[in-house]
Amino acid sequence: MERVMSGSKWEDLNMDCLVNVLTRVGIESLLLGAPFVCQSWYKASLHPSCWQIINFQKIERGPLACRGNATFVWLPDDCTEEALRYIADECPGLKALCLSYKLCHTYFPVIPELISKWKNLELLRLDRLRNMEKVFEEINCHCKNFHCLYACGAYIGEDTASAIVTFLPNIKYLHMRNANIYRESLEMILQGCKELVLLDARDCVGYECDDQLLKLASHISNFQHEGSSLFGDVEEYGHIDADSFDDTSLFLGPLHQ
C-alpha cells in the first residue's frame, strides 16, 4: 500500500511514529526488511528504542548484529563463542540475558568470565544446568542489581542451593520449575533468601510440600509448589520456544519492579 489513510506516503510518516512501529516488528524485520524500504525507514531502524529487546531465536538466517544499547538479549542455539563475546563487549548495559540449554551447556565455562562485563544485569536464564556456583559468585561480585534467576529443569543440589543463599541472598524472583531439588536444598533456600517475592518450584522431583515447608515459605507472597513429588521423571524442559518470547511480560515484569 503506497499511501496511509491521511494521503501521505509511508516514508513521510513522523519519525516518532515510524520508531513506534519498528519497535514492534521483530528482529528479522529490523535486520532484513525495514532498513531497505527507504531512507527514513533506515534511519528509524537505527533508533535505540528498536534495539532494547533482541530475540535472535526469531531469525533463521542472517547476520548476528546487535546494537550497543540492547537491554534484553535472547540468543539462539547456534550462537558461536565469538558472537557471545561480541554481545558481552557491545552490550554493557544488558539487563536480561536468556540462553538456550544447548548454548549455555556448550559455552558454560565462558559465561562466568563474561558476567563481569554486564554490571547492569538483573535477570539471567540458564536452564537444565548443574554446578552454577561460579556464575552466582560472579553475579555477586559484579551485578549489584541482579534479582531474577531462571533455572528451570536444573539440578539444585546442596552446593548450588548454598551458593544461591551465599551469593544471591537478595534475589526476588527464582524460577526452578521442573528442577531436581531435594527437600534439604529447598529448605536452605527458603531459610536463606528472605527477599523472595516469587519462588516457582512446581513440577519438581525430590520433595513434597507440607505444612512445615509452607511455614518456611510464609514470607514469600507467591510460592508455587504444585505438581512436585519425591520421585518421578523431570519433564524435558531444555528447549525454549521462541514463540513464547512474544509475551515478554513474563521476563520484563521483574525488571520493572
Side-chain angles (χ1 to χ4, degrees):
M1 184 172 66
E2 183 179 355
R3 296 178 179 274
V4 295
M5 292 180 64
S6 65
S8 60
K9 295 181 179 180
W10 281 103
E11 58 266 30
D12 294 332
L13 278 175
N14 177 274
M15 181 61 67
D16 290 340
C17 292
L18 278 176
V19 170
N20 185 274
V21 171
L22 295 184
T23 58
R24 307 167 188 268
V25 299
I27 182 65
E28 186 165 8
S29 294
L30 279 175
L31 288 174
L32 305 177
F36 305 102
V37 173
C38 61
Q39 186 68 20
S40 59
W41 281 55
Y42 169 72
K43 291 180 179 179
S45 72
L46 299 178
H47 194 278
S49 297
C50 298
W51 297 92
Q52 289 185 329
I53 300 175
I54 304 177
N55 181 10
F56 286 109
Q57 289 199 343
K58 284 288 189 178
I59 184 169
E60 296 181 359
R61 59 180 63 88
L64 181 59
C66 185
R67 305 296 177 183
N69 62 290
T71 57
F72 193 149
V73 172
W74 191 308
L75 295 175
D77 286 344
D78 58 357
C79 178
T80 64
E81 180 178 338
E82 179 183 10
L84 187 58
R85 291 183 179 278
Y86 175 84
I87 295 293
D89 291 334
E90 296 299 321
C91 301
L94 198 66
K95 292 186 177 181
L97 177 64
C98 292
L99 304 177
S100 70
Y101 164 71
K102 181 179 178 181
L103 177 61
C104 57
H105 180 75
T106 302
Y107 300 115
F108 189 71
V110 176
I111 296 173
E113 171 192 343
L114 301 182
I115 292 293
S116 64
K117 298 188 178 184
W118 294 313
K119 299 185 185 302
N120 295 313
L121 192 66
E122 299 178 21
L123 180 154
L124 180 64
R125 180 161 190 160
L126 297 172
D127 288 344
R128 293 180 58 207
L129 287 181
R130 296 170 176 255
N131 305 320
M132 296 179 282
E133 294 84 357
K134 184 60 177 176
V135 173
F136 301 156
E137 183 178 358
E138 292 299 313
I139 289 174
N140 177 267
C141 291
H142 303 287
C143 310
K144 301 306 180 184
N145 296 322
F146 188 87
H147 60 260
C148 183
L149 173 68
Y150 283 79
C152 302
Y155 175 80
I156 312 293
E158 289 191 18
D159 288 344
T160 300
S162 177
I164 291 175
V165 172
T166 301
F167 299 121
L168 307 176
N170 298 320
I171 193 168
K172 293 183 178 180
Y173 302 89
L174 181 55
H175 298 261
M176 304 187 300
R177 189 172 185 179
N178 293 99
N180 191 324
I181 179 169
Y182 294 106
R183 184 185 182 95
E184 293 79 5
S185 298
L186 181 58
E187 289 180 350
M188 190 182 304
I189 292 173
L190 291 174
Q191 292 172 330
C193 298
K194 297 299 186 181
E195 301 298 321
L196 277 172
V197 174
L198 181 149
L199 175 58
D200 186 352
R202 290 173 292 169
D203 304 313
C204 292
V205 171
Y207 85 94
E208 287 183 346
C209 193
D210 55 24
D211 291 342
Q212 183 180 353
L213 279 179
L214 289 176
K215 184 177 181 179
L216 287 176
S218 60
H219 63 286
I220 303 174
S221 58
N222 190 353
F223 175 43
Q224 302 173 11
H225 54 80
E226 297 78 13
S228 294
S229 60
L230 284 173
F231 308 102
D233 295 325
V234 176
E235 179 183 348
E236 187 72 14
Y237 203 80
H239 178 67
I240 306 174
D241 187 355
D243 291 335
S244 67
F245 190 85
D246 290 335
D247 182 11
T248 56
S249 62
L250 176 64
F251 296 97
L252 295 183
L255 298 182
H256 296 151
Q257 299 297 320

